[in-house]
Amino acid sequence: AQKVTQAQTEISVVEKEDVTLDCVYETRDTTYYLFWYKQPPSGELVFLIRRNSFDEQNEISGRYSWNFQKSTSSFNFTITASQVVDSAVYFCALSEETSGSRLTFGEGTQLTVNP
Amino acid sequence: KAGVTQTPRYLIKTRGQQVTLSCSPISGHRSVSWYQQTPGQGLQFLFEYFSETQRNKGNFPGRFSGRQFSNSRSEMNVSTLELGDSALYLCASSGDYRDREAFFGQGTRLTVV
């Protein structure tokens, strides 16, 4: 069965610090998809990125970067030069090829960026 | 392009009542999934509908049901409400099984008293 673990429940940093959110996953499928979502206090889950299991290229988008390593079943998310607006709960999620659009979420990491 | 719309945003119901939540997906999207979010259990998958058919179902009791209409709008129903059903219910919309990005609405906050 699929599982996603985000070991960091809460992280607090000062503005402009870099921060990495960890995500470890388990799946028996050879084809799967990994996601990161951001949930601000308003409640809506905002899509950040999708990664396919057959594409281990790391990705950078502005201050955000993602490190996908199949060897360690990890998909970590780094925010460079954090800002107060980055404060939110961040969720890592997994979708298996055989599960349609079903997402399995991690427990979430509450990130607080202090001015 | 309009996003995912969920109505109502907030709801207060009494134990034993039933409730219906609505979700309008992004135009052109045929898949709608529902999730329950609680502080104790986190985000849990309820079910997914694709082209009016339930394609996937999570591990929830039969009191939770859903349907999808020909215009892809979806409704979720919870009968005989329990206090533990208090949660944020989120709806996600995606194109098809190849288009894996799921876009979420703002959710319906259900409180059962």
Side-chain angles (χ1 to χ4, degrees):
Chain A
Q2 65 271 33
K3 185 179 178 182
V4 177
T5 302
Q6 294 178 254
Q8 306 148 306
T9 306
E10 294 182 30
I11 300 176
S12 181
V13 299
V14 177
E15 209 170 15
K16 296 184 184 174
E17 278 186 41
D18 298 347
V19 57
T20 295
L21 309 183
D22 297 333
C23 172
V24 174
Y25 63 92
E26 294 175 31
T27 177
R28 291 199 183 109
D29 276 22
T30 54
T31 302
Y32 53 89
Y33 307 85
L34 295 163
F35 303 81
W36 276 96
Y37 284 88
K38 173 182 180 179
Q39 187 176 42
S42 60
E44 180 179 358
L45 283 168
V46 178
F47 168 80
L48 295 177
I49 190 172
R50 178 196 76 180
R51 222 59 196 138
N52 306 331
S53 56
F54 44 85
D55 181 4
E56 280 193 76
Q57 250 189 337
N58 292 328
E59 182 155 338
I60 298 174
S61 176
R63 296 184 297 106
Y64 295 171
S65 62
W66 291 269
N67 182 3
F68 176 27
Q69 292 196 331
K70 284 178 79 169
S71 60
T72 56
S73 297
S74 65
F75 185 43
N76 297 336
F77 172 30
T78 297
I79 302 175
T80 302
S82 59
Q83 300 176 1
V84 173
V85 293
D86 295 327
S87 297
V89 182
Y90 290 86
F91 290 94
C92 180
L94 166 71
S95 174
E96 295 176 326
E97 178 72 8
T98 52
S99 299
S101 299
R102 175 179 186 158
L103 292 168
T104 298
F105 285 90
E107 305 89 336
T109 297
Q110 170 72 61
L111 173 65
T112 303
V113 181
N114 299 297
Chain B
K1 204 173 188 180
V4 180
T5 304
Q6 289 188 247
T7 56
R9 290 290 312 280
Y10 302 92
L11 210 46
I12 300 175
K13 288 287 188 179
T14 303
R15 200 168 38 178
Q17 286 186 313
Q18 75 162 18
V19 67
T20 299
L21 312 182
S22 179
C23 172
S24 293
I26 292 170
S27 178
H29 281 189
R30 294 191 295 166
S31 170
V32 174
S33 298
W34 289 88
Y35 293 83
Q36 181 196 65
Q37 185 176 24
T38 60
Q41 299 298 317
L43 277 155
Q44 292 190 292
F45 173 78
L46 281 155
F47 29 66
E48 178 199 0
Y49 286 87
F50 183 83
S51 292
E52 301 180 66
T53 301
Q54 188 180 83
R55 184 161 72 173
N56 220 331
K57 189 176 188 309
N59 190 24
F60 277 81
R63 299 185 297 106
F64 292 82
S65 62
R67 59 178 175 167
Q68 187 179 34
F69 302 95
S70 58
N71 62 357
S72 293
R73 190 177 72 86
S74 177
E75 288 182 346
M76 187 193 113
N77 185 277
V78 187
S79 62
T80 319
L81 283 165
E82 300 177 358
L83 296 178
D85 297 333
S86 295
L88 179 66
Y89 290 89
L90 290 160
C91 164
S93 151
S94 54
D96 61 28
Y97 75 95
R98 287 180 295 269
D99 183 7
R100 291 284 173 158
E101 284 84 10
F103 298 93
F104 285 79
Q106 288 192 296
T108 294
R109 173 77 62 186
L110 171 65
T111 302
V112 182
V113 297

